[in-house]
Amino acid sequence: MATRRVLVFASRSAFARRFSLVPASDSGCGFQKWQNGGGIFHESASIDSTAVVEVGAVVHSESVIGANVHIGSGTVVGPSVSIAHSTIIGCRFQCKQHKFDQCSGLAYCMQRLKCMLMFNVALSNCCIGDICVIHSGVCIGQDGFGFYVDGDGNMIKKPQKLNVVIGNQVEIGANTCIDRGSWRDTVIGDNSKIDNLVQVRLAATSCVTKDIKEPGDYGGFPAVPVHKWRRQVARSSRHR
């Protein structure tokens, strides 16, 4: 889901063609028209019959599109991308009002927009906003690392049943993972820029209130470097 890379490419189409994500108009190259929505897909892609690929959207080779996926007009799904059931791509929403239908799992789609997915992206349980760049290897919407110890000392997996909501004009670096929420949706706000190899997950005791400029582990409310947070916890325990 890419848009203009201003310093390098003159247009969205130039960006797309640089990475061979848009088929040449004068060559079939194994692309066909999808019957549900009118978009085009590569013959080696696997698309569920209930998925909608709107006119102007492109699904590239070896990609897998699950049931009830909605791919908006102008979206380019790169090679070997996996999109799980009920995922929405390229549809406008308002972060304060985003809703997921409890029966179908679909987010309400408000408007056709343009996005681009790069190579080997995996999406599930998520809604992607307008003009987003999602680089190679990104995983969005999978379960987070959530466990608790029961009364018998057994490690029990905490249910991860909510979603990821990606805002507009977001760029997500390669091999970043954004986990789905367990107690509320994981929301990435408009105009967020996330570097490569970042893990984003919800933590009940952490809150990022300003830009984090140094790589590392953070915890607490507001979030601070994890070693500082641990000292805060230790001091608090001593004063109880």
Side-chain angles (χ1 to χ4, degrees):
M1 287 177 277
T3 184
R4 181 179 303 170
R5 303 299 296 275
V6 175
L7 297 179
V8 180
F9 301 102
S11 67
R12 183 193 306 275
S13 60
F15 176 88
R17 293 187 187 282
R18 167 63 179 83
F19 290 97
S20 300
L21 291 176
V22 174
S25 59
D26 58 349
S27 174
C29 298
F31 286 88
Q32 304 174 24
K33 183 178 180 179
W34 181 244
Q35 77 276 4
N36 193 5
I40 64 172
F41 71 102
H42 193 270
E43 59 189 10
S44 65
S46 176
I47 305 178
D48 188 274
S49 61
T50 61
V52 175
V53 181
E54 291 187 0
V55 172
V58 181
V59 177
H60 275 263
S61 60
E62 306 297 333
S63 290
V64 179
I65 312 298
N68 297 315
V69 168
H70 192 116
I71 300 174
S73 179
T75 299
V76 177
V77 178
S80 302
V81 169
S82 174
I83 303 176
H85 67 87
S86 301
T87 298
I88 306 297
I89 302 172
C91 296
R92 183 180 295 278
F93 61 90
Q94 296 179 0
C95 285
K96 293 181 179 179
Q97 299 177 0
H98 66 271
K99 298 178 180 179
F100 284 80
D101 183 82
Q102 295 300 313
C103 296
S104 68
L106 291 176
Y108 298 126
C109 178
M110 304 301 292
Q111 183 174 338
R112 298 176 181 176
L113 293 163
K114 296 184 171 82
C115 297
M116 188 177 290
L117 300 174
M118 304 302 274
F119 299 82
N120 296 307
V121 171
L123 304 179
S124 60
N125 309 300
C126 63
C127 180
I128 310 296
D130 173 14
I131 313 180
C132 293
V133 184
I134 299 183
H135 289 279
S136 299
V138 169
C139 295
I140 298 175
Q142 64 285 334
D143 282 3
F145 187 79
F147 297 88
Y148 65 93
V149 179
D150 67 10
D152 298 323
N154 299 311
M155 189 73 73
I156 306 298
K157 181 176 176 63
K158 186 176 182 180
Q160 315 279 313
K161 295 183 177 180
L162 297 178
N163 303 285
V164 177
V165 180
I166 307 295
N168 301 321
Q169 300 186 57
V170 172
E171 181 158 353
I172 301 172
N175 296 314
T176 285
C177 293
I178 303 177
D179 295 340
R180 68 191 300 198
S182 61
W183 60 283
R184 65 179 176 86
D185 291 341
T186 302
V187 178
I188 306 298
D190 292 352
N191 302 302
S192 296
K193 311 301 178 188
I194 301 176
D195 201 355
N196 301 335
L197 297 169
V198 173
Q199 168 74 46
V200 179
R201 67 172 185 241
L202 287 177
T205 57
S206 294
C207 180
V208 177
T209 59
K210 59 183 180 180
D211 291 346
I212 294 177
K213 299 180 180 179
E214 296 295 330
D217 295 329
Y218 292 80
F221 194 112
V224 294
V226 70
H227 62 275
K228 183 176 181 180
W229 172 63
R230 288 170 179 161
R231 288 198 297 268
Q232 292 173 349
V233 172
R235 283 198 301 270
S236 176
S237 299
R238 286 196 297 268
H239 291 297
R240 287 179 180 174

